[in-house]
Amino acid sequence: MTTATTTTTVTDVALLDPERLGREIYMLVEDLYPICRSITGDGFRQTMRRLKREVPLSLYEVASGTRVFDWTVPREWNIRDAYVKNSRGERVIDFRKHNLHVVNYSIPVRRTMPLASLRPHLHSMPDRPDWIPYRTSYYKDDWGFCLSHRELEQLPEGDYEVCIDSTLENGHLTYGELLIKGQTADEVLISCHSCHPSLCNDNLSGVTVAAFLARHLGQQQDLRYSYRFLFIPGTIGSITWLSRNEERAQAIKHGLVLTCIGDRGNFTYKRSRRGNTEIDRAVEHILKHTGHDHSVADFSPYGYDERQYCSPGFNLPVGCLMRSQHGTFPEYHTSADNLDFVTPASLADSFAKILGVFQVLENNRTYMNLNPKCEPQLGTRGLYSVMGGTHIKQLEMAMLWVLNLSDGAFSLLDIAERSGVAFDTIHQAATLLRQNKLLRECASATTVNKASVGSKE
Ligand code: ZN
């Protein structure tokens, strides 16, 4: 049987209410913003617990000291309070006002010292005198405070009481994981680092959009692929996951690292190491057909967790989707990456684009023209419209392309790329042609997950 029901649609992007969706994602960003996250500790757990109210995440705990490839899971860091007080006992730097004020992973400190001794531990940005920088000291025992350059310059000479009420002890690294099972065991990976404290674009935009994508996919029937969502601490989290799931990782057929997708900038896509995999082509196709400026960068071994997924021992087809690219916008890793820097509209738009990518993956099939000797007569089948209209013309053109290239060698994405017609129009044309018994699907190489895999011809 050939019916339209065998092709999956991950719900039409056009059916979404972008304003409402944007507001909902933004509200989750607002909820998560105040939490002091790090690569381990209760801030990370608290973030996962909040996400669990949206999606049924499983939390995993990996003990400090566990070897994960060439790395070791670090001691767990927790912090209750931190401040620098002047001689009058006033908090001149106060962790309670902004969690970026403390160098993330600072060792505990309690002492009084003159400004000259304190000064090497204070970090500011002279070129952005009102912003607080974000600094970390994950893998070396150190401590420090970050503050605006203006505040730093106002500190008079004198003795200061320094307190960092933190602990750095054996504990666990936490991560959140969710698998949404589809018809096949082949997986699409969505990975986002969730370890930055109060930073919205770098970290929370990816985390929240991923959570909403997971919630949305969880409501879909008949997904072709299984979707694995990882909410992990950057670098050590993906290394840990890969070392515990070396075999499972082989099921990942397509993947995206999501970060910096909430700002007002244009999209940036960083290709997988392999560079021309289906995920690379699907993302580039979707971005090209938005009609907006965007940029595509080749893989480089610098950035986020795509570095680990694309390390030569795995070489997975995983790219990284961003709007403004990390490290290139002034607000990056500063207190200016705040709730004003991300917008509900950008978050909703990023959600829709990623869903568009999933739709390409779900529907990218290869067909065989059942009437390959000359063109079939479309008019007698009611497939040629007598009426005009741009979309009708495009659909007719798409049908001609699909019929011509469907010899078993070209997928619908190949046809979309070669014809310059948007994938969804190509897919719509293929569906019509199937309904009219002019195409049959070629067997795909995907791994069957369940007994009922829709209809096969
Ligand atoms: Zn970052």
Side-chain angles (χ1 to χ4, degrees):
M1 267 284 297
T2 309
T3 66
T5 56
T6 54
T7 43
T8 327
T9 51
V10 192
T11 298
D12 201 332
V13 176
L15 297 177
L16 296 167
D17 174 353
E19 267 187 42
R20 188 176 151 206
L21 177 71
R23 270 199 311 275
E24 286 183 2
I25 302 174
Y26 188 84
M27 278 163 61
L28 183 55
V29 175
E30 285 179 315
D31 273 9
L32 296 172
Y33 181 65
I35 302 172
C36 183
R37 276 164 293 275
S38 185
I39 53 172
T40 62
D42 290 332
F44 194 98
R45 288 190 191 96
Q46 200 184 335
T47 300
M48 294 300 115
R49 283 199 295 273
R50 176 62 189 84
L51 294 182
K52 276 185 89 159
R53 282 163 49 192
E54 308 296 330
V55 283
L57 272 190
S58 300
L59 298 196
Y60 294 87
E61 301 275 348
V62 183
S64 304
T66 305
R67 286 291 288 180
V68 285
F69 296 124
D70 200 43
W71 296 57
T72 305
V73 172
R75 288 170 295 165
E76 181 177 324
W77 185 70
N78 284 293
I79 183 159
R80 284 154 295 279
D81 194 8
Y83 56 80
V84 173
K85 281 182 181 173
N86 63 17
S87 54
R88 293 195 297 277
E90 298 159 337
R91 289 183 178 227
V92 292
I93 308 174
D94 188 357
F95 169 75
R96 290 176 186 163
K97 286 192 178 156
H98 207 304
N99 58 39
L100 292 183
H101 276 313
V102 170
V103 171
N104 203 283
Y105 249 71
S106 282
I107 57 171
V109 180
R110 266 181 203 281
R111 70 178 86 138
T112 299
M113 59 178 73
L115 183 61
S117 308
L118 176 59
R119 190 75 208 231
H121 294 279
L122 302 180
H123 308 280
S124 70
M125 304 170 74
D127 55 332
R128 301 280 176 182
D130 293 314
W131 297 355
I132 309 165
Y134 163 54
R135 294 282 164 83
T136 65
S137 65
Y138 297 146
Y139 300 103
K140 69 175 197 292
D141 283 358
D142 201 357
W143 63 272
F145 287 87
C146 301
L147 69 169
S148 75
H149 197 66
R150 233 178 272 288
E151 287 171 317
L152 175 64
E153 287 192 306
Q154 283 164 9
L155 293 179
E157 294 297 332
D159 281 347
Y160 289 88
E161 181 192 339
V162 176
C163 167
I164 297 179
D165 182 10
S166 66
T167 49
L168 196 54
E169 294 167 344
N170 282 332
H172 293 84
L173 174 152
T174 310
Y175 64 87
E177 183 169 9
L178 173 67
L179 180 69
I180 296 165
K181 280 195 177 170
Q183 291 170 346
T184 69
D186 290 346
E187 292 184 7
V188 178
L189 173 73
I190 300 297
S191 174
C192 44
H193 63 277
S194 319
C195 54
H196 288 19
S198 293
L199 295 167
C200 286
N201 198 37
D202 179 13
N203 175 193
L204 293 181
S205 66
V207 170
T208 54
V209 168
F212 273 75
L213 285 166
R215 197 172 81 174
H216 181 81
L217 293 177
Q219 294 161 351
Q220 305 302 310
Q221 302 294 322
D222 301 325
L223 290 169
R224 174 188 189 181
Y225 287 107
S226 298
Y227 288 78
R228 186 177 298 278
F229 287 83
L230 293 180
F231 299 90
I232 50 177
T235 307
I236 188 70
S238 50
I239 293 171
T240 300
W241 189 86
L242 285 165
S243 89
R244 288 160 59 94
N245 295 277
E246 213 171 330
E247 247 176 74
R248 190 165 290 158
Q250 301 312 313
I252 295 168
K253 302 302 173 201
H254 319 283
L256 284 177
V257 167
L258 301 181
T259 185
C260 302
I261 51 173
D263 67 286
R264 295 166 180 83
N266 292 321
F267 281 99
T268 307
Y269 177 64
K270 176 182 166 185
R271 291 181 178 130
S272 72
R273 178 178 184 267
R274 282 147 68 179
N276 193 30
T277 64
E278 199 172 333
I279 186 72
D280 298 312
R281 294 168 55 205
V283 174
E284 288 178 44
H285 181 82
I286 290 291
L287 295 183
K288 181 179 158 194
H289 282 270
T290 60
H292 295 291
D293 283 346
H294 63 274
S295 47
V296 176
D298 272 324
F299 177 79
S300 69
Y302 180 74
Y304 282 108
D305 291 302
E306 67 279 5
R307 292 150 60 178
Q308 314 310 330
Y309 301 123
C310 294
S311 57
F314 288 97
N315 201 15
L316 296 172
V318 176
C320 178
L321 185 66
M322 298 159 276
R323 298 185 78 100
S324 295
Q325 188 171 3
H326 63 82
T328 64
F329 52 94
E331 294 84 356
Y332 176 75
H333 281 189
T334 77
S335 58
D337 182 0
N338 58 21
L339 289 165
D340 295 328
F341 190 60
V342 296
T343 72
S346 293
L347 292 163
D349 182 45
S350 297
F351 176 99
K353 294 297 181 292
I354 299 161
L355 206 56
V357 171
F358 292 166
Q359 278 183 315
V360 172
L361 299 175
E362 289 280 320
N363 295 313
N364 186 27
R365 315 246 177 179
T366 303
Y367 294 98
M368 188 67 84
N369 182 342
L370 295 173
N371 191 105
K373 293 182 177 165
C374 301
E375 291 178 359
Q377 215 179 343
L378 297 180
T380 56
R381 293 173 168 89
L383 291 173
Y384 255 140
S385 172
V386 282
M387 306 291 285
T390 320
H391 181 69
I392 299 289
K393 285 274 168 263
Q394 272 189 351
L395 190 57
E396 285 171 7
M397 191 58 79
M399 280 192 274
L400 296 177
W401 275 107
V402 172
L403 283 168
N404 186 278
L405 290 179
S406 288
D407 59 0
F410 300 100
S411 71
L412 293 187
L413 182 55
D414 294 328
I415 300 172
E417 286 175 342
R418 184 151 164 192
S419 66
V421 179
F423 182 89
D424 56 353
T425 307
I426 292 288
H427 172 239
Q428 200 185 342
T431 305
L432 279 172
L433 293 169
R434 293 183 68 181
Q435 285 166 344
N436 282 274
K437 314 239 182 305
L438 289 169
L439 291 182
R440 76 168 167 80
E441 190 186 333
C442 299
S444 71
T446 51
T447 324
V448 175
N449 201 15
K450 288 193 219 157
S452 57
V453 192
S455 55
K456 288 252 184 244
E457 296 114 37

